[in-house]
């Protein structure tokens, strides 16, 4: 249910305009066998695209594909759930996913992190700002060869947690040129370290994008259980420590 103008509801059609008629006000069941007859164990909703992972570890996507965030190798929208082929992940099962306005993160059974979609500000962690139309693995060396167990996606930044509880972040550290937006103060960075510097949502007193995964220095040594992101800030839940935000 909700807005369906780009097919993100997976109902096989665009919900018509005008705006007041573009929303499904009650839950609608997807057609039988929408996910190949498999049960869904995890779903994620981006700005205008949707993901589902089945019990077999398959990834199904639908909705807006304008930056390749569906991982299907093109920029087309999909009005119904569409399978991302196993070859896209080298035959590995998908364990967990996260998505935001225009990018997607997936973790496979071997603990590898794959990203695709819009790459602006380095939010894909691929050392550049280029878009990716298909799932692209991030080099495990960026995570000290540790396995990834959890991911989160903000508007222009991303986060990943390893099985040891280490938190890595990448993407935009501040949003420039946008009216009515404030630079968020993100503390894992201690306020005493800021000294008047603008703080970024990637946990550093910087405003430039971070294009490869790095660990916020104020959290090093803490075991992070989970990280969640909103469009403009982050929360890390660290065991034996207070919440950083």
């Amino acid at each position: 249910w909700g807005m369906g103008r780009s097919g993100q509801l997976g109902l096989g059609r665009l919900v018509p305009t005008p705006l007041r008629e573009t929303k499904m006000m009650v839950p609608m069941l997807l057609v039988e066998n929408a996910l190949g007859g498999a049960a869904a164990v995890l779903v994620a909703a981006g700005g205008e695209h949707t993901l589902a992972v089945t019990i077999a570890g398959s990834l199904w996507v639908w909705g807006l594909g304008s930056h390749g965030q569906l991982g299907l190798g093109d920029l087309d929208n999909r009005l119904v759930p569409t399978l991302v082929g196993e070859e896209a992940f080298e035959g590995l099962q998908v364990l967990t996913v996260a998505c935001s306005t225009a990018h997607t993160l997936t973790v496979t059974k071997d603990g590898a992190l794959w990203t695709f979609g819009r790459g602006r500000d380095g939010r894909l962690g691929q050392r550049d700002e280029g878009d990716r139309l298909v799932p692209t693995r991030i080099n495990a060396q960026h995570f000290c060869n540790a396995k990834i167990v959890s991911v989160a996606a903000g508007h222009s930044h991303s986060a990943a947690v390893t099985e040891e509880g280490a938190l890595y972040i990448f993407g935009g550290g501040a949003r420039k040129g946008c009216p009515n937006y404030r630079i968020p103060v993100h503390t894992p960075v201690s306020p005493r370290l800021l000294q008047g510097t603008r703080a970024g949502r990637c946990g550093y007193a910087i405003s430039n994008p971070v294009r490869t995964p790095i660990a916020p220095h104020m959290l090093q040594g803490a075991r992070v259980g989970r990280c969640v992101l909103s469009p403009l800030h982050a929360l890390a839940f660290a065991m034996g420590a207070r919440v950083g935000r």
Side-chain angles (χ1 to χ4, degrees), residues 1 12 19 69 94 104 124 128 178 186 218 227:
W1 62 96
L19 180 62
Q69 60 263 50
V94 174
T104 303
L124 298 184
D128 57 41
C178 296
H186 175 185
M218 293 298 293
C227 179

Side-chain angles (χ1 to χ4, degrees), residues 169-201:
I169 43 80
F170 43 99
R175 191 164 183 174
K176 300 178 180 178
C178 296
N180 302 323
Y181 278 94
R182 292 183 178 181
I183 303 300
V185 175
H186 175 185
T187 53
V189 177
S190 173
R192 64 182 174 79
L193 296 179
L194 297 180
Q195 298 178 349
T197 304
R198 293 181 298 177
R201 56 186 168 266

Side-chain angles (χ1 to χ4, degrees), residues 149-235:
V149 296
S150 177
V151 288
H155 175 78
S156 59
H157 62 310
S158 305
V161 178
T162 71
E163 62 182 352
E164 291 84 11
L167 171 64
Y168 289 83
I169 43 80
F170 43 99
R175 191 164 183 174
K176 300 178 180 178
C178 296
N180 302 323
Y181 278 94
R182 292 183 178 181
I183 303 300
V185 175
H186 175 185
T187 53
V189 177
S190 173
R192 64 182 174 79
L193 296 179
L194 297 180
Q195 298 178 349
T197 304
R198 293 181 298 177
R201 56 186 168 266
C202 284
Y204 282 80
I206 57 175
S207 59
N208 294 324
V210 181
R211 297 182 178 86
T212 57
I214 56 177
H217 62 280
M218 293 298 293
L219 284 179
Q220 288 178 359
R223 182 179 177 85
V224 174
R226 188 185 178 196
C227 179
V228 293
L229 304 181
S230 81
L232 293 175
H233 75 292
L235 292 171

Side-chain angles (χ1 to χ4, degrees), residues 79-91:
L79 303 186
V80 296
T82 303
L83 178 66
V84 179
E86 291 183 357
E87 66 279 2
F89 300 105
E90 300 175 0

